[in-house]
Structures are given as structure tokens and as C-alpha cells.
Amino acid sequence: MDFALSEEQTAIFDMAYGFGQEHIAPFARQWEKDETIPKEIWPKIAELGFGGLYVSEDAGGSGLTRLDATLVFEALSMACPSVAAFLSIHNMCAKMLDSFASEELKSRIMGDVLSMNTVLSYCLTEPGSGSDAAALKTKCDRTNDGYTLNGTKAFISGGGYSDAYVAMVRTSDDGAAGVSTVYVEDGTAGLSFGGLEDKMGWRSQPTAQVQFDNCNIPAGNLVGEEGKGFKYAMMGLDGGRLNIAACSLGAAQTALTSTLQYMGDRKAFGKPIDQFQGLQWRLADMEIELQAARTFLRQAAWKLDTGAPDATKFCAMAKKFVTEAGSKVVDQCLQLHGGYGYLADYGIEKLVRDLRVHQILEGTNEIMRVIVARDMLKNR
């Protein structure tokens, strides 16, 4: 079993890391204050091939594996997990469109999606349906010209900011089998947005409700087949869970690296605090946890790439383990910084806030446990 990255994978990581450190890290705190990410950054990211990471090469994408993609998100989150996570959402939508949209729809939109002149948002969650996603109520009624949408999506990253919305909607009352996927472009009549949510973390990502009020879209904006939308949405979540875990991993690694530097500089009782054995043990525990998380994440990504029958279980386990490990590490890094860790200037408190939501989105960590337990019981 070979745990080493290939030369190509190392180059992918280094390219993403270099871009993040030059074009994202110096501005991340200001973007957080502004509560937005400048849209000019996305076409620059797309020039690296990151606008369609696992869109097929035949369709103009990069055709990377899921393991390759985790390297991109780990590297970019070392600059800012909020920006990296938003890119993950765009890529999840792009993969859905590449896999299931009609050739006519893809010919209209995929060029701008891959160049990130069109930034995408994923619309599944509603005010009354979070973990029970199949209970969504947004209605999608057929008309002579296409479809009419009515309903509200909640907690949407990019709500009011993105250029198009990939939305899961109800075309019949048949539970999960009544859910379809549609593509809604910004500016469509009947599409509106709630006010920006005032969030604990991910503050550079504009987040708002997405509202449909007699919103009419053409028939060609149906993605795939009616009644298959819930399946499409769930297929995208395995990769999304790996990506969000990678964002936790990269951010926690940055926190640990900066903490090592701080502890060598900071003195107490006449010597650098990295010379106290009790604090050295804390450093060792964090290193062990992050290395275990990295190995687990890459194993899960490998299983998804190879189509292993237990891939969904491993993606759920990795998401749960890595996001909790990441939050634990950044919290310990804040503690080791003492009072300075509580100050924005040192960057640790931002990571604590940003990473907390990773245990909630892409399926809560409680739902990850449900997925794992069900698989265990089914196969006992």
C-alpha cells in the first residue's frame, strides 16, 4: 500500500497552496469584515483548472480524482477555509451539471461555469428541512413553457451573490422520489433573497435565504430526469463531505504551524514555552490527531475514486472524524496562544469560528453516525 503522493499530486497541492498564500491569505481578514469575497478572484482560480475539478476533461474540466480534489481544498484552506469551502460548493454543482444536465443545457452554461464567470450555489436545505432533506417542500409545477417554482431555501452560501442556483425542488408528493433538480439563473423573475445572515464563522461567504415566488424557468433548465433530484443531491454529498473535511484539515494545520512558531518565540518563567513538557505533549497530541485525520481522509477519497462498496460509509466516517479533529486542534492552538489567541491579529480565533460549522453542514456529524451505524447493522 503506497501512501506517498505522486509528483503530479504534489504539484497540484503546491499550486493551490501558492495561489492561496499569494491571492487569498493576505486579504482573508478584510474579506471577512466586508462579508463578501471579491468576484474577481474566481476567474483567477478557474485559470488553474479549479472551476471544474472533477468535471470530465472532454467537457473542458480538469478531470481530477476526489483524492486530488482534497489536496486542493486542504491547500487553499491553509489560506482561508471560508473561501476554500465556497469553491467546494461551486464544484459540487458543476459536477452535478456535467453528470446529469442535458447536452443543450451544458452547451449553454458550462463554459461560463468552468471559467467561473458563472459562480454556482447549491440549494437543498429549507427552513423546515435540514437533516431530513427529503422533506423539502419547494414546489415545482409544470407549465406549458417549463416550470414554476414556489418556496424558500435556507442557509444558502452565495444567496444573492452567485450567478446561478442548482436547486432541489418537489415535482411530486412521492417523498424522495418526488424531488427533481433545476438550474435557476440570477435575475430570473420571481427569484429573490433574504437579508444576509449574521454568522459566527464563514463570514466572508454571503449567506441568505433563496426565495422562489412564481419563479418561471424553461423546461430545458431541468437537470437530468424528474424524480431523480434527491439521488443527484446525495451523490454529490459524498465528495462534498471529503472536501469540507479537507478544509478542516488544512486550516488546523495552519493553526498548528503558527502555534509552533509562537511557542518558540513566547517566553514564560525564563524560557520559551515550547520547552515545557506538558505543552510539548499537547503539540504531540495535535500532530498525531492531524496525521491520523489526513490518512483517514485520503483513504476515504481513494475508496470513492475506486467505487468501493463502502465508500459512502468511509466518507461519512472521515467527515465526522476530520472535522471534529480540526476543531479540537484549532481550539487547543488558541489555548496555547493564551490571551493573544483571542485577538484577531493572530488569526487563530477566526479559524475556531470558521471550522465550527463544518460539523453541521454537508450532513451533521450526528447524521454521519447514523450512516455508519446503519451500514454496520446491515452488514453484521
Side-chain angles (χ1 to χ4, degrees):
M1 187 178 292
D2 186 358
F3 289 93
L5 297 179
S6 67
E7 286 187 17
E8 181 181 359
Q9 288 171 327
T10 300
I12 289 169
F13 181 92
D14 290 345
M15 180 170 63
Y17 178 79
F19 182 91
Q21 295 304 304
E22 180 178 355
H23 297 285
I24 298 173
F27 315 107
R29 281 184 58 201
Q30 186 59 51
W31 294 350
E32 180 176 68
K33 291 178 182 177
D34 296 340
E35 297 188 326
T36 194
I37 303 166
K39 276 202 166 178
E40 311 87 72
I41 194 71
W42 301 122
K44 294 178 182 177
I45 288 177
E47 288 176 4
L48 303 179
F50 295 169
L53 286 167
Y54 20 79
V55 170
S56 57
E57 290 184 274
D58 290 344
S62 296
L64 299 184
T65 66
R66 294 291 180 167
L67 175 54
D68 296 337
T70 64
L71 303 177
V72 171
F73 292 111
E74 180 183 350
L76 288 177
S77 66
M78 291 177 171
C80 178
S82 175
V83 176
F86 193 86
L87 181 66
S88 171
I89 294 166
H90 171 89
N91 272 277
M92 181 163 57
C93 294
K95 175 61 176 176
M96 288 177 67
L97 294 170
D98 180 48
S99 299
F100 304 114
S102 67
E103 291 304 317
E104 185 277 331
L105 180 57
K106 287 195 285 189
S107 68
R108 274 198 285 131
I109 66 175
M110 286 304 289
D112 283 336
V113 166
L114 296 176
S115 67
M116 295 195 74
N117 290 312
T118 293
V119 175
L120 301 175
S121 283
Y122 178 88
C123 301
L124 176 63
T125 301
E126 296 185 358
S129 65
S131 293
D132 185 11
L136 66 87
K137 295 181 178 178
T138 296
K139 292 286 290 180
C140 179
D141 297 314
R142 283 186 221 125
T143 66
N144 290 334
D145 300 317
Y147 297 92
T148 298
L149 311 178
N150 282 284
T152 299
K153 297 294 180 179
F155 306 117
I156 304 304
S157 292
Y161 169 89
S162 291
D163 302 295
Y165 301 86
V166 177
M168 274 47 73
V169 295
R170 183 158 297 287
T171 45
S172 79
D173 295 327
D174 190 17
V179 175
S180 301
T181 300
V182 294
Y183 181 84
V184 185
E185 292 162 295
D186 187 38
T188 301
L191 172 66
S192 63
F193 310 96
L196 286 180
E197 304 290 2
D198 189 7
K199 308 187 299 295
M200 172 182 175
W202 276 22
R203 294 186 65 87
S204 63
Q205 280 193 32
T207 302
Q209 288 190 346
V210 175
Q211 300 159 344
F212 305 108
D213 183 14
N214 290 325
C215 178
N216 295 312
I217 60 171
N221 281 28
L222 175 72
V223 177
E225 301 176 40
E226 281 193 20
K228 297 289 183 68
F230 192 73
K231 176 184 175 183
Y232 301 160
M234 293 303 103
M235 288 173 67
L237 282 178
D238 277 346
R241 287 164 182 162
L242 296 177
N243 293 347
I244 210 64
C247 289
S248 284
L249 179 62
Q253 185 64 64
T254 287
L256 180 54
T257 300
S258 65
T259 300
L260 276 168
Q261 181 64 46
Y262 173 81
M263 291 175 68
D265 296 336
R266 174 73 165 152
K267 292 183 178 177
F269 305 103
K271 59 182 177 180
I273 63 174
D274 63 5
Q275 297 305 300
F276 292 94
Q277 188 179 65
L279 301 188
Q280 291 176 354
W281 286 355
R282 286 205 191 185
L283 290 173
D285 285 343
M286 289 190 287
E287 174 71 1
I288 292 165
E289 194 117 15
L290 284 187
Q291 292 296 350
R294 183 173 285 111
T295 301
F296 197 2
L297 172 62
R298 292 179 182 176
Q299 181 192 25
W302 172 79
K303 281 182 173 285
L304 188 58
D305 284 329
T306 57
D310 55 359
T312 292
K313 172 187 173 182
F314 269 77
C315 289
M317 290 195 294
K319 192 268 183 183
K320 184 266 179 195
F321 182 84
V322 180
T323 58
E324 291 180 7
S327 286
K328 189 189 308 181
V329 166
V330 295
D331 182 69
Q332 283 296 303
C333 287
L334 191 152
Q335 186 71 18
L336 289 169
H337 275 75
Y340 291 107
Y342 208 65
L343 302 181
D345 287 348
Y346 284 75
I348 305 296
E349 61 85 31
K350 176 182 181 297
L351 297 179
V352 172
R353 291 185 290 103
D354 280 346
L355 264 56
R356 184 59 184 85
V357 75
H358 294 191
Q359 298 178 52
I360 298 171
L361 47 78
E362 305 287 10
T364 65
N365 283 8
E366 288 72 26
I367 291 296
M368 298 305 99
R369 292 175 173 91
V370 170
I371 292 170
V372 173
R374 284 178 177 170
D375 186 88
M376 294 171 67
L377 294 173
K378 181 179 71 174
N379 293 299
R380 63 184 166 181

